[in-house]
Amino acid sequence: MVTAGIDIGHESVAVVLLHDTGPLGHATFVIAGEVGAVARCAFEQTLDRLGIERASIQRIFATGIGRENVALADGHRTPMLSHARGAHWWFPGTRTVIDVGAEGTRVMRCDAAGNLTDFALNDKCAAGSGVFLESVAEMLDVPLAEMGGLSLSGSRSVVLTSTCAVFAESEIVAEIHRGAARADILWGVHEALVAKIVATGRRVGIEPDLVLTGGVARNVGVVQALREQLRMDVAVPEHPEIAGALGAALLAREPAGAA
Amino acid sequence: MTPEQILEQCRDLVGQPLGAVAERWKAERPGGRVVAAYPVWTPAELVHAAGMLPLSLLGGGTSVELTHADARFQSFVCSIAKSTLELGFQDIVKGIDGFVFSNICDVARNLGSIYQRNFPGVFVEYLHLPQNSTSPGVTAYAASELRRLAAGFETAFGLTLTEAALTKAIEIYNVVRARVRALYAFRIAEPQKLSTTELYVALRATTLVPPEQAIAWLDALLDGLPRRDARPRDRLRVVIEGAFCEQPPLGLLEVLEEAGCYVVEDDLLLGWRWFTSDVPTDGDPFERLGAAYVNQSVPSSTRHEGREHRSAGLIEKVRRASATAVIFMPAKFCEPALFDYVLMKQGLERAGIPHMIVEFEEKMWTFERTRNEIETFVESMLFD
């Protein structure tokens, strides 16, 4: 059986095609336009790239924001359930999944079978999400992809006390004026972001094995700060940004997966 | 009338300013008085027995901008207290002659005094309901408080409230409550035929009309709803707990069902269906009503019970409604609901009943985050 999962994020859409033996392939696209059209376009381009016929896909599930608007999907599931399933497929010992996307942080607890047992979302606040990092990258004129690595060389002398993204930006400006090194500021930013994530996670408890998913998982500074604050190993999948789409594809092949 | 026509009427009434509802009733009854009752329980029987119209006073909902109340309350005070005060400043309750508050929480205790100070032209009474259900003198005390309230009405409005009239009022409100209980039982049996929004709107409308009108609507609903054509769906049966004072926006109730739940029990408008069975009508009606408050009240976070664990009533409600889970829905900053949440959560966990919490404010207008949380909660149980 071949299934597909489509994950509509705030800034990108991910598509995973899944065979019984594992993923056949995946792709991610930057979002531009109406959700249904974007999903269709991303799905068709993924099929083209992988050379797979539409007719061979037996079931498509959508997840993420606007999942109900993906007309080509046979059903949809919430991002929390999808990320838990995806992370558990990669790491079967997973008990906690932290997904940090562009505009939100989600913490999921799951059991040995990958069933979701509890979850928490960040409050209406940008301080624990990817857009915060994007705005900092812009402020410091550092490419987003290089933020993590650069922060690891920081001296850890900058501490951001604010839990609000807007106020944190003010603190960053003050640090720039003070002459703090970019690497030091970046480490402070990652520490502050992770503190927010950890606070969300402690509402449901964070137990090993812990898996970090979502685009922010590619930031090695965030991963390191998380390891240090939790004193726990953090597993990161090779393609953390497709965890939701993979989970949706997995859910699409489950017997109880009615639309 | 069909259920749809009644529900349309109810929806229209619920959307009207409270003062306009009062003025319209008074226009047909020259010299008539209207008394508004702040949650949770106020003895509407006393108001009715005095020939007045009791109305529920439930804050400003989504329709009132706070331009005065924020200057008089701290930022950590619940929305219903602020918007109820705002109703007074904006003349939205103009036409209402009296207001009754009670000791449900510290905020409500002070709201009564703040009303008195800011609006000296209206009658404001504060009811000290008993908080010790096990004291030997509790029933007599409750009755004496009811007598004091009745005397306040008599003095303020120059009317007479007789025991015979109170007995009749208890009888008619017994009928209203029995009909409401029947409607709730119907929803437990066939939730697909009566949405929570519909039940809520109908129930709220009955708190804005005389009991005779309420009975007519409820009878027609009980007659017509079973004939609705609706197939049961694969949804999670849930109990809502915590929204007994500040009322959630209708959009939030709709989201609950859209996200895959059948709400089969709730504590919305709890004070208007306060007694678990009919209040006896023999003997002294003040004594009977006071005794009913002590011994026949539904479990509530605003009434200290002391005779059973706080979670017992909730667990019983879950089982009686054949529910699978509980959604705690406290208003932001609602101390009674949030204090009890811990006790009830622990009780549910001991009983193996899944639960989640969704805080709300009456002016909440975006529900996507809540929808996501509830859908995930539903999925985590349906697709394990």
Side-chain angles (χ1 to χ4, degrees):
Chain A
M1 182 177 191
V2 180
T3 58
I6 303 173
D7 183 6
I8 313 289
H10 284 89
E11 294 189 351
S12 62
V13 54
V15 181
V16 168
L17 303 182
L18 182 73
H19 191 260
D20 292 334
T21 53
L24 293 170
H26 66 269
T28 53
F29 305 84
V30 174
I31 282 200
E34 186 265 324
V35 165
V38 165
R40 177 171 295 283
C41 179
F43 176 65
E44 287 170 356
Q45 284 191 40
T46 307
L47 292 177
D48 283 348
R49 280 187 201 177
L50 298 172
I52 293 170
E53 291 292 320
R54 168 70 181 86
S56 65
I57 310 294
Q58 275 117 319
R59 213 158 187 213
I60 304 165
F61 267 21
T63 187
I65 53 159
R67 57 192 174 276
E68 297 93 341
N69 299 325
V70 180
L72 68 93
D74 301 299
H76 54 81
R77 294 290 180 263
T78 58
M80 283 74 97
L81 186 62
S82 301
H83 274 265
R85 282 285 205 281
H88 190 268
W89 189 85
W90 279 316
F91 304 100
T94 302
R95 292 294 178 276
T96 310
V97 183
I98 297 177
D99 164 45
V100 189
E103 293 200 0
T105 296
R106 311 176 183 107
V107 181
M108 287 72 69
R109 293 292 307 277
C110 51
D111 63 17
N115 296 319
L116 190 62
T117 56
D118 207 351
F119 62 93
L121 308 183
N122 67 326
D123 293 326
K124 285 175 239 170
C125 170
S129 63
V131 286
F132 176 49
L133 292 181
E134 284 179 18
S135 69
V136 172
E138 204 170 311
M139 285 172 75
L140 296 177
D141 197 22
V142 176
L144 195 61
E146 293 172 20
M147 281 179 85
L150 185 56
S151 76
L152 293 179
S153 66
S155 69
R156 307 189 176 201
S157 58
V158 172
V159 177
L160 301 180
T161 55
S162 195
T163 56
C164 163
V166 176
F167 292 134
E169 283 183 16
S170 302
E171 285 191 54
I172 292 166
V173 170
E175 291 293 341
I176 293 169
H177 290 163
R178 199 173 60 82
R182 288 193 301 180
D184 299 351
I185 296 173
L186 284 173
W187 178 255
V189 164
H190 291 149
E191 285 256 85
L193 177 113
V194 166
K196 192 86 181 164
I197 295 168
V198 168
T200 301
R202 287 199 169 127
R203 281 158 43 195
V204 292
I206 299 173
E207 298 290 333
D209 295 352
L210 168 63
V211 178
L212 185 62
T213 64
V216 173
R218 288 199 175 276
N219 182 317
V220 292
V222 170
V223 176
Q224 183 58 27
L226 197 57
R227 283 187 179 126
E228 290 185 15
Q229 287 191 27
L230 291 173
R231 294 177 188 165
M232 190 183 287
D233 193 25
V234 179
V236 178
E238 188 182 353
H239 301 290
E241 67 283 352
I242 66 161
L246 173 62
L250 287 162
L251 285 158
R253 71 185 194 189
E254 289 183 8
Chain B
M1 278 201 293
T2 65
E4 286 69 28
Q5 288 168 325
I6 293 167
L7 291 167
E8 192 52 44
Q9 272 191 13
C10 292
R11 200 177 285 270
D12 177 54
L13 180 61
V14 166
Q16 293 179 20
L18 207 57
V21 175
E23 294 283 22
R24 198 172 51 247
W25 184 81
K26 287 163 75 169
E28 293 169 8
R29 294 162 192 82
R33 304 281 190 173
V34 177
V35 172
Y38 192 74
V40 176
W41 180 73
T42 293
E45 290 88 340
L46 258 69
V47 181
H48 183 67
M52 303 186 290
L53 175 67
L55 294 182
S56 60
L57 177 62
L58 294 163
T62 55
S63 62
V64 177
E65 284 300 326
L66 302 184
T67 56
H68 300 81
D70 267 341
R72 288 164 173 82
F73 273 126
Q74 299 90 335
S75 57
F76 53 80
V77 164
C78 59
S79 297
I80 185 174
K82 288 182 183 174
S83 66
T84 297
L85 183 61
E86 193 71 35
L87 293 177
F89 281 117
Q90 294 192 18
D91 278 345
I92 295 169
V93 286
K94 195 175 175 188
I96 295 175
D97 305 281
F99 296 84
V100 180
F101 299 88
S102 62
N103 52 336
I104 54 167
C105 66
D106 287 345
V107 171
R109 288 159 66 104
N110 291 309
L111 182 58
S113 311
I114 294 169
Y115 242 77
Q116 238 164 0
R117 201 161 50 241
N118 285 282
F119 313 115
V122 295
F123 171 79
V124 178
E125 188 54 271
Y126 176 77
L127 197 57
H128 295 259
L129 294 167
Q131 289 292 334
N132 182 351
S133 304
T134 55
S135 162
V138 62
T139 301
Y141 170 74
S144 74
E145 264 304 280
L146 298 177
R147 283 198 189 91
R148 191 179 62 78
L149 179 62
F153 288 151
E154 289 179 328
T155 306
F157 302 128
L159 44 80
T160 307
L161 198 164
T162 65
E163 290 194 357
L166 182 54
T167 299
K168 279 195 172 173
I170 291 173
E171 282 171 358
I172 196 159
Y173 273 99
N174 273 344
V175 176
V176 174
R177 283 187 290 265
R179 298 292 194 277
V180 172
R181 284 198 297 273
L183 210 49
Y184 268 71
F186 172 75
R187 186 179 60 165
I188 287 173
E190 299 193 78
Q192 74 277 10
K193 291 184 179 176
L194 177 61
S195 76
T196 294
T197 318
E198 290 174 331
L199 177 55
Y200 175 74
V201 165
L203 185 54
R204 186 154 173 176
T206 65
T207 69
L208 299 173
V209 293
E212 296 82 0
Q213 175 64 66
I215 292 166
W217 277 340
L218 293 167
D219 276 343
L221 287 173
L222 285 164
D223 178 58
L225 288 171
R227 290 195 290 274
R228 272 185 166 178
D229 186 22
R231 276 185 309 152
R233 293 183 173 184
D234 189 18
R235 289 185 175 179
L236 190 70
R237 292 171 65 95
V238 300
V239 171
I240 293 176
E241 181 74 21
F244 47 80
C245 182
E246 184 171 324
Q247 300 297 290
L250 287 180
L252 180 57
L253 297 178
E254 284 165 3
V255 157
L256 277 178
E257 294 186 319
E258 287 166 10
C261 297
Y262 278 134
V263 177
V264 287
E265 255 296 356
D266 60 61
D267 58 358
L268 301 163
L269 298 165
L270 190 66
W272 291 81
R273 46 198 178 90
W274 187 254
F275 299 115
T276 53
S277 53
D278 287 351
V279 179
T281 51
D282 57 326
D284 180 337
F286 290 98
E287 297 279 338
R288 289 302 190 188
L289 202 51
Y293 182 82
V294 175
N295 298 314
Q296 289 171 240
S297 290
V298 291
S300 165
S301 297
T302 58
R303 191 182 68 88
H304 179 64
E305 171 49 49
R307 289 173 290 195
E308 60 181 21
H309 192 275
R310 186 62 195 91
S311 64
L314 178 57
I315 292 169
E316 193 274 329
K317 202 192 284 189
V318 169
R319 296 200 167 129
R320 181 168 40 78
S322 302
T324 309
V326 171
I327 296 180
F328 288 104
M329 200 184 273
K332 267 199 193 311
F333 309 118
C334 176
E335 286 192 347
L338 291 166
F339 283 149
D340 269 8
Y341 167 63
V342 178
L343 296 172
M344 292 195 281
K345 173 177 178 283
Q346 288 170 342
L348 291 183
E349 281 164 6
R350 281 193 296 272
I353 299 168
H355 58 84
M356 69 173 291
I357 183 165
V358 174
E359 279 191 345
F360 74 92
E361 282 185 286
E362 61 181 17
K363 272 195 107 161
M364 186 177 178
W365 56 273
T366 171
F367 307 106
E368 274 318 298
R369 175 193 158 90
T370 306
R371 183 196 300 272
N372 233 337
E373 287 179 299
I374 295 168
E375 276 186 18
T376 305
F377 184 63
V378 172
E379 283 183 354
S380 70
M381 273 180 279
L382 292 183
F383 304 128
D384 273 2

